[in-house]
Amino acid sequence: MRLARAGLVLLAAAVVTSCASPEPSGHARPTRPAASGDATSGQPRITLPLDPYQVSDEDFGTVSRALAELTDRCMRRQGLTYEVPAAQDTTASSPTGHERRYGITVLETARKHGYHLVGAPAEQPEQPKRSRAYERALSGTGKPLGGKGGFDDGCTGEAHRKLESGIDMEAVDLPQWYKRDSFQRSLGDPRVKAAFGAWSRCMAEAGHRYAGPLDPPADPGVMGRTVTEHERSVAVADITCKQRTGLVDAWQQVETTLQRRTVTTRAAQLEKARTEAGRLIARAGKILAADGG
């Protein structure tokens, strides 16, 4: 039975379900290097206590490539050519990358790109039309499989089953859930609220009224399809105020405390997560080795 996941493999699933989906970092046979977003600036990466229990970005790429390879094998058996999605930047959505966990932080990037990711296309590329046979083979019909149980989920489902069979995927995804929880709880911490207040007052002095640093990139008057001078102005003020108020350091300290507590109280679950992730990565590696890549 396929699990409904919102962590690691949900992101990896984008590799094999739709060419319109963003591709995880390190995807199979990229046609060009993925842009690296804020990571190109030399800004120190934000690290958190739960990071060692997650699949690393490099290993996430291995899992993604294995899913793509299994999907390709399935499609070829049906006489179809699997069209691998083009490489795209996923700095903000990679499993352990935190470059934008607390919003943008790199002044040089803000001056040039505002809140947009470096190298992001101005418009989504037009997606080629797929035949009904191709879509049915890739994603299935969704109909029950009769006496076999389950549903017809095509080559996508087959790829997941072969990669994940016997592996506790809920355990693999558990650290991601804990990290989401620590982020949400950090927003209610008095220290983070105080830092937001100081940042908000600083932004108001610069002529921009926002309650917190998550608001500007969600403002359609700031974040449009293309970068504008207004967006750059808000982004530069955002980072300047973060630096003046120490917002990022305060926020990270709060989350670090929360996650350390989780590491202590959920030690057994997290060790299982690490073990199961290791099994998943090892199996993905064997799949790619058999394919020669």
Side-chain angles (χ1 to χ4, degrees):
M1 175 179 179
R2 256 183 100 188
L3 299 170
R5 292 177 294 277
L8 167 74
V9 177
L10 177 60
L11 287 169
V15 177
V16 295
T17 54
S18 170
C19 288
S21 300
E23 178 195 25
S25 57
H27 180 59
R29 305 176 183 89
T31 56
R32 59 177 174 80
S36 57
D38 288 351
T40 60
S41 67
Q43 180 82 355
R45 288 176 63 90
I46 293 170
T47 59
L48 292 166
L50 284 169
D51 290 349
Y53 299 95
Q54 285 191 275
V55 175
S56 69
D57 290 351
E58 180 180 358
D59 289 332
F60 177 72
T62 299
V63 172
S64 299
R65 291 194 300 274
L67 280 171
E69 170 58 28
L70 290 170
T71 303
D72 182 53
R73 293 179 192 175
C74 175
M75 296 290 278
R76 279 189 278 118
R77 288 201 311 270
Q78 301 177 61
L80 297 166
T81 301
Y82 175 53
E83 299 178 18
V84 180
Q88 295 181 23
D89 178 44
T90 53
T91 298
S93 61
S94 61
T96 56
H98 304 311
E99 284 79 9
R100 297 197 177 202
R101 189 173 184 85
Y102 308 128
I104 57 172
T105 56
V106 182
L107 201 55
E108 179 184 352
T109 302
R111 287 180 177 137
K112 294 179 181 178
H113 305 282
Y115 291 95
H116 282 72
L117 290 172
V118 178
E123 296 183 4
Q124 288 292 334
E126 184 177 349
Q127 301 302 323
K129 292 183 179 180
R130 315 294 182 194
S131 69
R132 292 182 65 182
Y134 181 96
E135 294 293 350
R136 185 167 55 249
L138 181 64
S139 303
T141 63
K143 296 179 180 179
L145 291 174
K148 297 181 180 180
F151 296 86
D152 176 13
D153 49 9
C155 289
T156 297
E158 179 180 305
H160 277 277
R161 284 189 293 274
K162 287 187 174 181
L163 179 64
E164 302 162 15
S165 176
I167 295 172
D168 188 340
M169 294 305 302
E170 287 185 333
V172 173
D173 285 339
L174 192 59
Q176 183 75 359
W177 287 109
Y178 285 154
K179 290 178 86 168
R180 289 185 179 191
D181 179 65
S182 72
F183 183 86
Q184 291 300 321
R185 286 194 290 150
S186 73
L187 296 174
D189 188 279
R191 291 163 291 180
V192 173
K193 287 184 176 181
F196 275 27
W199 176 90
S200 180
R201 290 189 294 274
C202 177
M203 288 290 284
E205 292 173 1
H208 310 296
R209 298 191 176 277
Y210 295 101
L214 303 181
D215 296 337
D219 181 355
V222 171
M223 184 68 167
R225 297 179 68 179
T226 59
V227 183
T228 64
E229 285 303 318
H230 177 60
E231 179 186 343
R232 293 188 185 99
S233 172
V234 175
V236 168
D238 179 350
I239 295 173
T240 300
C241 287
K242 280 173 180 160
Q243 293 172 344
R244 288 179 180 174
T245 61
L247 184 147
V248 173
D249 286 343
W251 201 347
Q252 184 179 0
Q253 288 171 13
V254 168
E255 261 213 284
T256 295
T257 299
L258 291 170
Q259 290 193 15
R260 281 176 178 164
R261 193 174 304 146
T262 299
V263 169
T264 299
T265 60
R266 297 288 186 265
Q269 294 95 321
L270 288 169
E271 284 303 325
K272 181 178 181 181
R274 183 148 49 188
T275 298
E276 294 299 301
R279 294 179 62 213
L280 179 72
I281 295 160
R283 182 176 295 169
K286 288 181 180 178
I287 290 167
L288 295 174
D291 182 52

Short mmCIF file of all heavy atoms in Angstrom, two decimals, residues 138-187:
data_model
loop_
_atom_site.label_atom_id
_atom_site.label_comp_id
_atom_site.label_asym_id
_atom_site.label_seq_id
_atom_site.Cartn_x
_atom_site.Cartn_y
_atom_site.Cartn_z
N LEU A 138 1.70 6.40 -17.32
CA LEU A 138 2.49 7.05 -16.29
C LEU A 138 1.76 7.09 -14.95
O LEU A 138 2.32 6.73 -13.91
CB LEU A 138 2.84 8.47 -16.72
CG LEU A 138 3.70 9.28 -15.73
CD1 LEU A 138 5.07 8.65 -15.56
CD2 LEU A 138 3.84 10.73 -16.20
N SER A 139 0.50 7.53 -14.98
CA SER A 139 -0.23 7.79 -13.73
C SER A 139 -1.32 6.78 -13.43
O SER A 139 -1.87 6.79 -12.32
CB SER A 139 -0.84 9.19 -13.77
OG SER A 139 0.17 10.16 -13.99
N GLY A 140 -1.67 5.93 -14.39
CA GLY A 140 -2.73 4.95 -14.16
C GLY A 140 -4.11 5.56 -14.33
O GLY A 140 -4.27 6.75 -14.64
N THR A 141 -5.11 4.74 -14.10
CA THR A 141 -6.49 5.19 -14.24
C THR A 141 -7.11 5.59 -12.91
O THR A 141 -8.15 6.23 -12.87
CB THR A 141 -7.35 4.07 -14.86
OG1 THR A 141 -7.34 2.94 -13.96
CG2 THR A 141 -6.80 3.64 -16.21
N GLY A 142 -6.47 5.17 -11.81
CA GLY A 142 -7.03 5.45 -10.50
C GLY A 142 -8.13 4.49 -10.10
O GLY A 142 -8.69 4.59 -9.01
N LYS A 143 -8.42 3.53 -10.97
CA LYS A 143 -9.51 2.59 -10.70
C LYS A 143 -9.01 1.41 -9.87
O LYS A 143 -7.83 1.06 -9.92
CB LYS A 143 -10.09 2.08 -12.02
CG LYS A 143 -10.75 3.18 -12.85
CD LYS A 143 -11.29 2.60 -14.15
CE LYS A 143 -11.96 3.71 -14.99
NZ LYS A 143 -12.47 3.18 -16.27
N PRO A 144 -9.92 0.79 -9.09
CA PRO A 144 -9.53 -0.38 -8.29
C PRO A 144 -9.01 -1.50 -9.18
O PRO A 144 -9.45 -1.66 -10.33
CB PRO A 144 -10.83 -0.78 -7.60
CG PRO A 144 -11.67 0.46 -7.59
CD PRO A 144 -11.32 1.18 -8.87
N LEU A 145 -8.08 -2.29 -8.65
CA LEU A 145 -7.47 -3.38 -9.41
C LEU A 145 -8.18 -4.72 -9.20
O LEU A 145 -7.60 -5.77 -9.42
CB LEU A 145 -5.99 -3.52 -9.02
CG LEU A 145 -5.10 -2.37 -9.47
CD1 LEU A 145 -3.70 -2.54 -8.91
CD2 LEU A 145 -5.06 -2.28 -11.00
N GLY A 146 -9.40 -4.67 -8.76
CA GLY A 146 -10.18 -5.90 -8.60
C GLY A 146 -9.62 -6.77 -7.49
O GLY A 146 -9.35 -6.32 -6.38
N GLY A 147 -9.40 -8.05 -7.80
CA GLY A 147 -8.96 -9.00 -6.80
C GLY A 147 -7.56 -8.74 -6.27
O GLY A 147 -7.17 -9.24 -5.23
N LYS A 148 -6.77 -7.93 -6.99
CA LYS A 148 -5.40 -7.66 -6.57
C LYS A 148 -5.34 -6.68 -5.40
O LYS A 148 -4.35 -6.61 -4.69
CB LYS A 148 -4.60 -7.09 -7.74
CG LYS A 148 -4.44 -8.06 -8.90
CD LYS A 148 -3.60 -7.43 -10.00
CE LYS A 148 -3.42 -8.37 -11.18
NZ LYS A 148 -2.61 -7.75 -12.26
N GLY A 149 -6.40 -5.90 -5.23
CA GLY A 149 -6.38 -4.87 -4.20
C GLY A 149 -5.63 -3.64 -4.68
O GLY A 149 -4.86 -3.70 -5.62
N GLY A 150 -5.88 -2.52 -4.04
CA GLY A 150 -5.21 -1.29 -4.42
C GLY A 150 -5.84 -0.65 -5.65
O GLY A 150 -6.93 -1.04 -6.08
N PHE A 151 -5.12 0.31 -6.23
CA PHE A 151 -5.63 1.06 -7.36
C PHE A 151 -4.58 1.09 -8.47
O PHE A 151 -3.38 0.94 -8.22
CB PHE A 151 -5.98 2.49 -6.94
CG PHE A 151 -7.09 2.57 -5.94
CD1 PHE A 151 -6.83 2.45 -4.58
CD2 PHE A 151 -8.40 2.75 -6.35
CE1 PHE A 151 -7.86 2.52 -3.65
CE2 PHE A 151 -9.44 2.82 -5.43
CZ PHE A 151 -9.17 2.71 -4.08
N ASP A 152 -5.05 1.30 -9.68
CA ASP A 152 -4.14 1.42 -10.81
C ASP A 152 -3.48 2.79 -10.76
O ASP A 152 -4.11 3.81 -11.05
CB ASP A 152 -4.94 1.26 -12.11
CG ASP A 152 -4.08 1.48 -13.35
OD1 ASP A 152 -2.84 1.52 -13.22
OD2 ASP A 152 -4.66 1.63 -14.45
N ASP A 153 -2.21 2.82 -10.38
CA ASP A 153 -1.49 4.09 -10.32
C ASP A 153 -0.29 4.12 -11.26
O ASP A 153 0.65 4.89 -11.08
CB ASP A 153 -1.05 4.42 -8.89
CG ASP A 153 -0.36 3.27 -8.19
OD1 ASP A 153 -0.07 2.26 -8.87
OD2 ASP A 153 -0.09 3.37 -6.99
N GLY A 154 -0.33 3.28 -12.29
CA GLY A 154 0.61 3.35 -13.37
C GLY A 154 2.07 3.14 -12.99
O GLY A 154 2.39 2.54 -11.96
N CYS A 155 2.95 3.64 -13.86
CA CYS A 155 4.38 3.47 -13.64
C CYS A 155 4.87 4.26 -12.44
O CYS A 155 5.85 3.86 -11.80
CB CYS A 155 5.14 3.89 -14.90
SG CYS A 155 4.95 2.74 -16.28
N THR A 156 4.20 5.35 -12.13
CA THR A 156 4.56 6.10 -10.93
C THR A 156 4.40 5.22 -9.70
O THR A 156 5.30 5.14 -8.85
CB THR A 156 3.67 7.35 -10.79
OG1 THR A 156 3.91 8.22 -11.89
CG2 THR A 156 3.95 8.06 -9.48
N GLY A 157 3.26 4.57 -9.58
CA GLY A 157 3.02 3.69 -8.44
C GLY A 157 3.97 2.52 -8.41
O GLY A 157 4.47 2.14 -7.34
N GLU A 158 4.24 1.93 -9.58
CA GLU A 158 5.16 0.79 -9.64
C GLU A 158 6.55 1.20 -9.15
O GLU A 158 7.21 0.46 -8.40
CB GLU A 158 5.25 0.25 -11.06
CG GLU A 158 6.21 -0.91 -11.19
CD GLU A 158 6.29 -1.44 -12.60
OE1 GLU A 158 5.22 -1.79 -13.15
OE2 GLU A 158 7.42 -1.51 -13.15
N ALA A 159 7.02 2.38 -9.57
CA ALA A 159 8.34 2.86 -9.16
C ALA A 159 8.43 2.99 -7.65
O ALA A 159 9.41 2.58 -7.03
CB ALA A 159 8.64 4.20 -9.84
N HIS A 160 7.41 3.58 -7.05
CA HIS A 160 7.40 3.74 -5.59
C HIS A 160 7.39 2.39 -4.88
O HIS A 160 8.11 2.19 -3.90
CB HIS A 160 6.20 4.58 -5.16
CG HIS A 160 6.44 6.05 -5.25
ND1 HIS A 160 7.08 6.77 -4.28
CD2 HIS A 160 6.13 6.93 -6.24
CE1 HIS A 160 7.14 8.04 -4.64
NE2 HIS A 160 6.58 8.16 -5.83
N ARG A 161 6.57 1.48 -5.37
CA ARG A 161 6.47 0.18 -4.69
C ARG A 161 7.80 -0.56 -4.74
O ARG A 161 8.22 -1.16 -3.75
CB ARG A 161 5.36 -0.66 -5.32
CG ARG A 161 3.96 -0.23 -4.91
CD ARG A 161 2.91 -1.21 -5.38
NE ARG A 161 2.79 -1.21 -6.84
CZ ARG A 161 2.04 -0.38 -7.54
NH1 ARG A 161 1.35 0.57 -6.92
NH2 ARG A 161 1.97 -0.47 -8.85
N LYS A 162 8.46 -0.53 -5.89
CA LYS A 162 9.74 -1.24 -6.01
C LYS A 162 10.82 -0.60 -5.15
O LYS A 162 11.65 -1.30 -4.56
CB LYS A 162 10.17 -1.28 -7.47
CG LYS A 162 9.35 -2.24 -8.32
CD LYS A 162 9.91 -2.39 -9.72
CE LYS A 162 9.15 -3.46 -10.49
NZ LYS A 162 9.69 -3.64 -11.86
N LEU A 163 10.83 0.72 -5.08
CA LEU A 163 11.85 1.40 -4.28
C LEU A 163 11.58 1.28 -2.80
O LEU A 163 12.51 1.12 -1.99
CB LEU A 163 11.92 2.87 -4.68
CG LEU A 163 12.94 3.73 -3.91
CD1 LEU A 163 14.36 3.25 -4.18
CD2 LEU A 163 12.80 5.20 -4.28
N GLU A 164 10.31 1.33 -2.40
CA GLU A 164 9.96 1.47 -0.99
C GLU A 164 9.53 0.18 -0.31
O GLU A 164 9.29 0.17 0.91
CB GLU A 164 8.82 2.50 -0.86
CG GLU A 164 9.17 3.86 -1.42
CD GLU A 164 7.94 4.71 -1.67
OE1 GLU A 164 6.85 4.36 -1.15
OE2 GLU A 164 8.05 5.72 -2.38
N SER A 165 9.42 -0.91 -1.05
CA SER A 165 8.91 -2.15 -0.49
C SER A 165 9.69 -2.57 0.76
O SER A 165 10.93 -2.68 0.75
CB SER A 165 8.99 -3.26 -1.54
OG SER A 165 8.58 -4.50 -0.99
N GLY A 166 8.97 -2.79 1.86
CA GLY A 166 9.58 -3.25 3.10
C GLY A 166 10.26 -2.16 3.90
O GLY A 166 10.80 -2.43 4.98
N ILE A 167 10.24 -0.92 3.40
CA ILE A 167 10.86 0.20 4.11
C ILE A 167 9.75 1.03 4.77
O ILE A 167 8.72 1.30 4.16
CB ILE A 167 11.68 1.08 3.15
CG1 ILE A 167 12.86 0.28 2.60
CG2 ILE A 167 12.17 2.35 3.84
CD1 ILE A 167 13.64 0.98 1.51
N ASP A 168 9.95 1.41 6.00
CA ASP A 168 8.96 2.19 6.73
C ASP A 168 9.08 3.65 6.30
O ASP A 168 9.86 4.43 6.86
CB ASP A 168 9.19 2.06 8.24
CG ASP A 168 8.08 2.70 9.06
OD1 ASP A 168 7.34 3.55 8.52
OD2 ASP A 168 7.96 2.36 10.25
N MET A 169 8.28 4.03 5.30
CA MET A 169 8.38 5.38 4.77
C MET A 169 7.84 6.43 5.74
O MET A 169 8.25 7.59 5.70
CB MET A 169 7.65 5.48 3.43
CG MET A 169 8.29 4.66 2.32
SD MET A 169 10.06 5.04 2.07
CE MET A 169 9.98 6.79 1.72
N GLU A 170 6.93 6.03 6.60
CA GLU A 170 6.47 6.98 7.62
C GLU A 170 7.62 7.35 8.54
O GLU A 170 7.75 8.50 8.96
CB GLU A 170 5.30 6.38 8.41
CG GLU A 170 4.01 6.32 7.62
CD GLU A 170 2.84 5.84 8.46
OE1 GLU A 170 3.08 5.10 9.44
OE2 GLU A 170 1.71 6.21 8.13
N ALA A 171 8.48 6.38 8.85
CA ALA A 171 9.65 6.66 9.68
C ALA A 171 10.62 7.58 8.94
O ALA A 171 11.18 8.52 9.52
CB ALA A 171 10.35 5.36 10.07
N VAL A 172 10.83 7.32 7.65
CA VAL A 172 11.74 8.15 6.86
C VAL A 172 11.31 9.62 6.87
O VAL A 172 12.12 10.53 6.97
CB VAL A 172 11.82 7.64 5.41
CG1 VAL A 172 12.63 8.60 4.53
CG2 VAL A 172 12.43 6.24 5.36
N ASP A 173 10.00 9.84 6.79
CA ASP A 173 9.48 11.20 6.71
C ASP A 173 9.31 11.87 8.08
O ASP A 173 9.05 13.08 8.14
CB ASP A 173 8.12 11.20 6.00
CG ASP A 173 8.26 11.01 4.50
OD1 ASP A 173 9.36 11.27 3.97
OD2 ASP A 173 7.28 10.58 3.86
N LEU A 174 9.46 11.11 9.15
CA LEU A 174 9.19 11.66 10.48
C LEU A 174 10.02 12.90 10.82
O LEU A 174 9.47 13.88 11.35
CB LEU A 174 9.41 10.58 11.54
CG LEU A 174 8.89 10.90 12.95
CD1 LEU A 174 7.39 11.17 12.92
CD2 LEU A 174 9.20 9.74 13.89
N PRO A 175 11.34 12.94 10.55
CA PRO A 175 12.10 14.16 10.88
C PRO A 175 11.55 15.40 10.19
O PRO A 175 11.56 16.49 10.77
CB PRO A 175 13.52 13.83 10.39
CG PRO A 175 13.60 12.34 10.45
CD PRO A 175 12.24 11.87 10.06
N GLN A 176 11.05 15.23 8.96
CA GLN A 176 10.48 16.39 8.25
C GLN A 176 9.24 16.91 8.97
O GLN A 176 9.02 18.12 9.08
CB GLN A 176 10.14 15.99 6.81
CG GLN A 176 9.60 17.14 5.95
CD GLN A 176 10.68 18.11 5.52
OE1 GLN A 176 11.85 17.97 5.88
NE2 GLN A 176 10.29 19.11 4.77
N TRP A 177 8.42 15.99 9.46
CA TRP A 177 7.25 16.40 10.22
C TRP A 177 7.66 17.13 11.50
O TRP A 177 7.07 18.15 11.87
CB TRP A 177 6.38 15.19 10.57
CG TRP A 177 5.63 14.64 9.40
CD1 TRP A 177 5.86 13.46 8.75
CD2 TRP A 177 4.51 15.24 8.74
NE1 TRP A 177 4.98 13.30 7.73
CE2 TRP A 177 4.13 14.37 7.70
CE3 TRP A 177 3.81 16.43 8.92
CZ2 TRP A 177 3.06 14.66 6.83
CZ3 TRP A 177 2.74 16.72 8.07
CH2 TRP A 177 2.39 15.84 7.05
N TYR A 178 8.67 16.62 12.19
CA TYR A 178 9.14 17.27 13.41
C TYR A 178 9.69 18.67 13.11
O TYR A 178 9.52 19.60 13.90
CB TYR A 178 10.24 16.42 14.07
CG TYR A 178 9.73 15.19 14.78
CD1 TYR A 178 10.55 14.07 14.94
CD2 TYR A 178 8.44 15.12 15.32
CE1 TYR A 178 10.11 12.94 15.61
CE2 TYR A 178 7.99 13.99 15.97
CZ TYR A 178 8.82 12.90 16.11
OH TYR A 178 8.37 11.78 16.77
N LYS A 179 10.35 18.82 11.97
CA LYS A 179 10.89 20.13 11.61
C LYS A 179 9.78 21.11 11.29
O LYS A 179 9.88 22.30 11.61
CB LYS A 179 11.86 19.99 10.44
CG LYS A 179 13.16 19.30 10.82
CD LYS A 179 14.08 19.12 9.65
CE LYS A 179 14.95 20.33 9.43
NZ LYS A 179 16.03 20.06 8.46
N ARG A 180 8.74 20.63 10.65
CA ARG A 180 7.60 21.51 10.39
C ARG A 180 6.95 21.94 11.71
O ARG A 180 6.54 23.09 11.87
CB ARG A 180 6.57 20.79 9.52
CG ARG A 180 7.02 20.58 8.10
CD ARG A 180 5.92 19.97 7.26
NE ARG A 180 6.34 19.80 5.88
CZ ARG A 180 5.53 19.49 4.88
NH1 ARG A 180 4.24 19.31 5.12
NH2 ARG A 180 5.98 19.35 3.66
N ASP A 181 6.89 20.99 12.63
CA ASP A 181 6.29 21.30 13.93
C ASP A 181 7.12 22.34 14.68
O ASP A 181 6.56 23.27 15.27
CB ASP A 181 6.19 20.01 14.75
CG ASP A 181 5.61 20.26 16.14
OD1 ASP A 181 4.43 20.65 16.23
OD2 ASP A 181 6.33 20.07 17.13
N SER A 182 8.44 22.20 14.65
CA SER A 182 9.28 23.16 15.37
C SER A 182 9.16 24.55 14.76
O SER A 182 9.18 25.56 15.46
CB SER A 182 10.74 22.71 15.39
OG SER A 182 11.35 22.83 14.13
N PHE A 183 9.03 24.59 13.44
CA PHE A 183 8.87 25.89 12.77
C PHE A 183 7.57 26.55 13.21
O PHE A 183 7.54 27.73 13.57
CB PHE A 183 8.89 25.70 11.26
CG PHE A 183 8.79 26.99 10.49
CD1 PHE A 183 9.94 27.73 10.21
CD2 PHE A 183 7.57 27.48 10.05
CE1 PHE A 183 9.87 28.92 9.50
CE2 PHE A 183 7.48 28.67 9.35
CZ PHE A 183 8.63 29.40 9.07
N GLN A 184 6.48 25.80 13.19
CA GLN A 184 5.18 26.36 13.57
C GLN A 184 5.19 26.80 15.03
O GLN A 184 4.66 27.87 15.37
CB GLN A 184 4.07 25.34 13.32
CG GLN A 184 3.81 25.07 11.85
CD GLN A 184 3.38 26.32 11.09
OE1 GLN A 184 2.64 27.15 11.59
NE2 GLN A 184 3.87 26.46 9.87
N ARG A 185 5.78 25.99 15.90
CA ARG A 185 5.81 26.34 17.32
C ARG A 185 6.71 27.55 17.57
O ARG A 185 6.44 28.35 18.47
CB ARG A 185 6.26 25.15 18.15
CG ARG A 185 5.19 24.07 18.29
CD ARG A 185 5.55 23.09 19.39
NE ARG A 185 6.68 22.26 19.01
CZ ARG A 185 7.55 21.75 19.86
NH1 ARG A 185 7.46 22.04 21.16
NH2 ARG A 185 8.53 20.97 19.44
N SER A 186 7.76 27.69 16.77
CA SER A 186 8.65 28.84 16.95
C SER A 186 7.94 30.16 16.72
O SER A 186 8.27 31.17 17.34
CB SER A 186 9.87 28.72 16.02
OG SER A 186 9.51 28.98 14.68
N LEU A 187 6.93 30.14 15.85
CA LEU A 187 6.20 31.38 15.54
C LEU A 187 5.44 31.91 16.76
O LEU A 187 5.15 33.10 16.83
CB LEU A 187 5.22 31.14 14.39
CG LEU A 187 5.84 30.79 13.04
CD1 LEU A 187 4.77 30.43 12.03
CD2 LEU A 187 6.69 31.95 12.52
#
